[in-house]
Amino acid sequence: MSAEQEEAYDTKEDDESYTAKSVLGAKRATPRQHDYLFAGVARALGAEANVIFATDRTQRFWSRGLKSMDQFWYTLVAVRAPGDPDSKSVFVDSGSGLPYGVVPWRATGAATFVCTSKGSQSVIIPPALPKVNRADTKVAVVFGEEGEGHTAKWYRNAGGRRGWTTGGGCATWTPTSGRRPWGPLPRGRNDVEIVSLEAPGLSDSVGPFELACDIDLGDSGITEDISRYSFPFVGPWWPPTPKFPSATRTGMVVFEFPFAYIVAVDVAAPAGFKSGTVPSPVELNSPFGHYQLVVEKTETGFHVDRGLVLYALVVNVADYPALRSFFQDVAKHDQALLTFERARGAR
């Protein structure tokens, strides 16, 4: 503010705008006012509630030497039953519109400034469990007649931070925009055509993110001369897998949030083909996560179940080689192919 603005500024009027009475009377609130109101109501009901200020850890950490509230981007509330230890606290960001007990992931994993009746404290907001940030995807791939293309129908239901960081692309997507709501496609498949796209409940900030999509994958490449056909089950429906191309690292690895990605893919055999050899099942366990891949034959082709769970939020430099090796193994097994062999006498 300018000197004139600062002189005319009425701090009493500003303080009064944050009281529960004024906010309830106005029936509107800024996010911070909403968090203050939540803390006040919780205390009135007998709970213990402390206001917390948190930084956006992707931008900066809390600098105790910087005497400014401008470094804090988030206001949270730690609430617990009377007499319960601090470990029983539930962290709430009611002003964000997120569900009870869920806070923005950028506010987790770093030191925060806690205001209590006995003075200031500091606490690290724990990240959500992987099961909270879960995305389930179901895909059905169908081949046309020989010389024709192949199509896929897929549906995704994503909750927690996985869902609330996915929907933005759908809000701006149009058939002519060229921008896909799932980002770049693997294996050079950026020539696919979106036939239809629906995102029901996109404006609902607290519900899961849902995406239903029909896509044309283009020419399958199958000709009458081909007796064995291989199909990669990875496609635009595949959730992103962390990549670590560098063999060394000088700083710790910090993920956005723990997650669980579950994918189920059904691939029908092309006309005149039958299912070939089934890839062996794979299960990888590490301190950082869990991976499982199971492929089964069905009456019409193959069914693939794939799951990837990330447990870790922060990985130290000393553990980087093991972390990189784990995700390299995940990427290798994701490259498995489904093979189809031409049925005897079929052309």
Side-chain angles (χ1 to χ4, degrees):
M1 292 185 292
S2 65
E4 293 79 7
Q5 290 173 321
E6 195 167 318
E7 187 174 332
Y9 183 69
D10 189 344
T11 56
K12 181 179 179 181
E13 181 180 335
D14 182 67
D15 290 341
E16 289 177 351
S17 71
Y18 279 82
T19 65
K21 183 178 180 179
S22 62
V23 171
L24 290 173
K27 296 183 179 180
R28 59 184 296 171
T30 65
R32 181 162 291 183
Q33 288 173 331
H34 202 291
D35 288 323
Y36 286 173
L37 176 62
F38 175 85
V41 171
R43 290 169 181 164
L45 293 173
E48 295 186 21
N50 294 321
V51 174
I52 298 176
F53 296 99
T55 62
D56 178 348
R57 64 171 166 85
T58 66
Q59 302 293 325
R60 63 170 62 88
F61 294 113
W62 172 28
S63 174
R64 290 172 171 80
L66 179 61
K67 309 302 181 183
S68 172
M69 294 297 291
D70 291 340
Q71 61 182 310
F72 299 110
W73 186 258
Y74 300 101
T75 308
L76 313 174
V77 179
V79 60
R80 64 184 186 276
D84 276 0
D86 292 344
S87 60
K88 294 289 186 179
S89 294
V90 177
F91 300 99
V92 183
D93 186 6
S94 64
S96 68
L98 296 175
Y100 179 81
V102 179
V103 301
W105 66 263
R106 290 179 174 86
T108 65
T112 60
F113 175 32
V114 185
C115 304
T116 77
S117 59
K118 298 180 181 180
S120 66
Q121 298 177 4
S122 180
V123 66
I124 294 179
I125 308 296
L129 297 175
K131 65 180 181 181
V132 175
N133 302 317
R134 172 169 172 157
D136 288 88
T137 305
K138 296 181 179 180
V139 187
V141 180
V142 178
F143 290 83
E145 295 297 325
E146 194 166 285
E148 297 181 1
H150 52 319
T151 61
K153 290 180 176 289
W154 60 287
Y155 168 80
R156 175 171 296 160
N157 183 300
R161 296 315 305 164
R162 182 68 271 157
W164 297 316
T165 56
T166 305
C170 290
T172 58
W173 180 84
T174 63
T176 58
S177 67
R179 178 181 179 182
R180 296 179 175 85
W182 49 75
L185 307 184
R187 299 196 172 198
R189 285 187 165 182
N190 286 291
D191 59 342
V192 302
E193 178 183 353
I194 302 174
V195 178
S196 67
L197 175 67
E198 295 181 6
L202 185 60
S203 60
D204 186 0
S205 63
V206 299
F209 170 72
E210 296 180 85
L211 176 67
C213 191
D214 289 2
I215 57 177
D216 185 345
L217 296 170
D219 184 11
S220 63
I222 298 177
T223 66
E224 60 181 25
D225 299 328
I226 294 178
S227 59
R228 182 183 176 88
Y229 181 74
S230 297
F231 179 79
F233 47 75
V234 173
W237 49 80
W238 212 250
T241 300
K243 297 180 180 178
F244 300 96
S246 176
T248 60
R249 191 177 180 93
T250 58
M252 66 178 61
V253 178
V254 182
F255 292 98
E256 292 182 343
F257 44 77
F259 59 73
Y261 295 158
I262 312 299
V263 184
V265 184
D266 286 293
V267 182
F273 286 78
K274 62 179 182 179
S275 303
T277 305
V278 178
S280 301
V282 179
E283 184 170 7
L284 304 174
N285 290 293
S286 84
F288 320 107
H290 174 79
Y291 171 84
Q292 190 168 17
L293 178 68
V294 179
V295 181
E296 298 176 335
K297 281 187 180 182
T298 65
E299 294 181 358
T300 57
F302 286 106
H303 177 80
V304 180
D305 283 315
R306 184 261 198 186
L308 174 63
V309 180
L310 175 69
Y311 306 135
L313 181 67
V314 179
V315 178
N316 295 322
V317 176
D319 296 323
Y320 175 72
L323 173 73
R324 180 172 182 259
S325 177
F326 171 72
F327 280 109
Q328 283 181 327
D329 288 341
V330 170
K332 179 184 68 175
H333 293 296
D334 277 347
Q335 301 305 311
L337 299 174
L338 304 179
T339 59
F340 299 93
E341 299 174 354
R342 192 176 292 275
R344 184 173 300 177
R347 279 290 183 268

